[in-house]
């Protein structure tokens, strides 16, 4: 199984290059920290939500999906701000966090992993004289992202099997097959990469 | 041409292939045999994924032991499980990954990907998440990912084992249409129609080597 958050589309945002989107994300992150006027913050949040849902064509449902996991933390932080600072600070901090996540999600959903990797390679190339291999780092990150859902799937499969055997509370019954399958998958993936000509990637730089 | 010269392979102390000697030149070669007979081990020897303990394997004169890179640029490998072969999130990105070792210009990569997608009738799913495809589609993407670098020889290790009959037929039909030399390891003897040569592997040795008309009945007889 392969992780992939990119959602294909032909919106203006999709067509922007990855370096432009990532730069804008960094600039916006810094700018948001400086905003301390509540109406400006509300305007920025609404604009970001509009760009995400309408301009990028990702829709309000996905905007909600990107926001939902945050809510409990935002609520917690807002309560703390309200209690220790002011109500205005609570609103500012909450909107800042939510907007930042929307911007990050917007970049993730509209940029291919390979484009992100190319940016990473360009950034890491600065360290090439120090012996750093940017392609290898970028590929390592891409592989890590690709393997996350694989790990979850293996854990889910093994949990289902052990549950069927009445062993869901046994850590050994979970750990051993999960580890075995992970090692086997890693071995198969390694074979596949060698077969596709990647064994000497590092040496070719 | 692939030459397997008196090759022996031992895995964890067990002899998996025992003094196998073959010269592979035909355009379509099938390899059949029981589980554990050594046929997948033979397949992995052919592009240097596995090195022999004794003997040598050469592809167009390149020894798999000393010239792995040259061998793998000539011999593509299609695995049984496409999930292990597809690395990148989308179909087009995964195809492009196959060209990375060739270090081509971005425009050339885009062109190759587009041509390969069209050739394998995958253009409509270029930006689709590879993990959301059906088993047959995934195997076609894996095949396209191998063929994008235009190997002279394709080795397929049980490419249809995880597929239903419809998808298996689709994948085999696509493989049959390839112009390169194809060596297919399979349990399904019906997929070997039209092949030039079939090897039957049994307990690490070549038990039969001939045309499908000769080798398949011999294999089926050994099962009964």
């Amino acid at each position: 199984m392969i992780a992939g958050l990119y959602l294909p589309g032909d919106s203006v945002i999709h067509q922007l290059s990855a370096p432009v989107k990532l730069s804008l994300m960094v600039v916006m992150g810094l700018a948001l920290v400086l905003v301390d006027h509540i109406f400006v913050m509300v305007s920025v949040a609404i604009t970001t939500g509009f760009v995400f849902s309408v301009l990028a064509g990702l829709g309000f449902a996905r905007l909600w999906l990107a926001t939902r996991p945050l809510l409990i933390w935002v609520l917690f932080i807002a309560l703390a701000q309200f209690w220790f600072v002011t109500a205005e600070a609570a609103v500012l901090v909450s909107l800042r966090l939510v907007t930042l996540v929307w911007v990050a999600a917007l970049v993730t959903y509209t940029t291919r992993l390979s484009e992100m990797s190319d940016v990473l390679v360009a950034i890491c190339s600065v360290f090439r004289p120090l012996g750093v291999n940017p392609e290898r780092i970028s590929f390592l990150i891409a592989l890590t992202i690709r393997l996350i859902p694989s790990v979850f799937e293996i854990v889910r499969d093994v949990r289902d099997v052990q549950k069927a055997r009445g062993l869901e509370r046994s850590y050994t019954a979970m750990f051993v097959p999960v580890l075995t399958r992970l090692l086997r998958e890693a071995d198969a993936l390694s074979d596949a990469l060698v077969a596709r000509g990647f064994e000497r990637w590092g040496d070719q730089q | 041409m692939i030459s397997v010269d008196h090759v022996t392979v031992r895995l964890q102390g067990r002899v998996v292939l025992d003094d196998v000697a073959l010269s592979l030149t035909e355009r379509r070669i099938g390899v059949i045999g029981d589980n554990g007979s050594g046929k997948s081990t033979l397949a992995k020897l052919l592009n240097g994924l596995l090195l022999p303990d004794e003997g040598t394997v050469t592809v167009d004169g390149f020894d798999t032991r000393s010239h792995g890179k040259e061998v793998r640029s000539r011999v593509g490998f299609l695995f049984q499980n496409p999930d292990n072969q597809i690395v990148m999130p989308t179909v087009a990105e995964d195809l492009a990954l196959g060209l990375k070792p060739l270090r081509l210009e971005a425009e050339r990569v885009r062109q190759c990907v587009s041509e390969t997608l069209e050739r394998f009738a995958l253009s409509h799913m270029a930006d689709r998440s590879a993990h959301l495809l059906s088993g047959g589609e995934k195997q076609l993407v894996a095949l396209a990912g191998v063929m994008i670098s235009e190997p002279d020889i394709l080795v397929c290790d049980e490419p249809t084992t995880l597929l239903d009959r419809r998808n298996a037929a689709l994948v085999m039909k696509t493989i049959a249409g390839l112009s390169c030399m194809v060596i297919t390891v399979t349990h399904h003897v019906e997929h070997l129609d039209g092949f030039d040569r079939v090897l039957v592997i049994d307990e690490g040795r070549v038990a039969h080597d001939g045309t499908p008309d000769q080798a398949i009945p011999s294999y089926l007889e050994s099962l009964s």
Side-chain angles (χ1 to χ4, degrees), chain B residues 33-45:
Chain B
D34 296 340
N35 286 336
S37 60
K39 57 189 189 306
S40 286
T41 303
L42 176 64
K44 286 185 174 180
L45 282 172

Side-chain angles (χ1 to χ4, degrees), chain A residues 1-6 8 112-115 117-118 135 139 142-143 146 185 188-189 191-201 204-205, chain B residues 44 47 49 66-69 72 75 77 79 83-90 93-95 97-98 100-101 103 127-131 138 145:
Chain A
M1 296 294 110
I2 301 108
L5 293 173
Y6 171 71
R112 289 182 177 88
L113 183 61
S114 55
E115 290 174 303
S117 298
D118 289 344
E135 284 81 7
F139 193 60
L143 264 186
R146 171 247 192 271
E185 289 247 334
L189 182 64
D191 269 355
L193 287 171
V194 171
R196 292 180 77 173
F198 282 90
E199 83 276 23
R200 294 190 182 193
W201 198 0
Q204 288 169 353
Q205 306 316 312
Chain B
K44 286 185 174 180
N47 82 335
L49 275 178
S66 53
H67 293 83
K69 186 186 163 196
R72 279 184 278 278
V75 185
F77 200 101
F79 290 81
D83 280 329
N84 291 330
Q85 189 152 355
I86 300 171
V87 177
M88 297 301 275
T90 66
E93 284 177 295
D94 195 72
L95 262 60
L97 183 77
K100 281 253 182 186
R103 317 198 84 197
D127 280 327
R128 296 244 314 258
S129 287
H131 75 284
K138 279 184 195 171

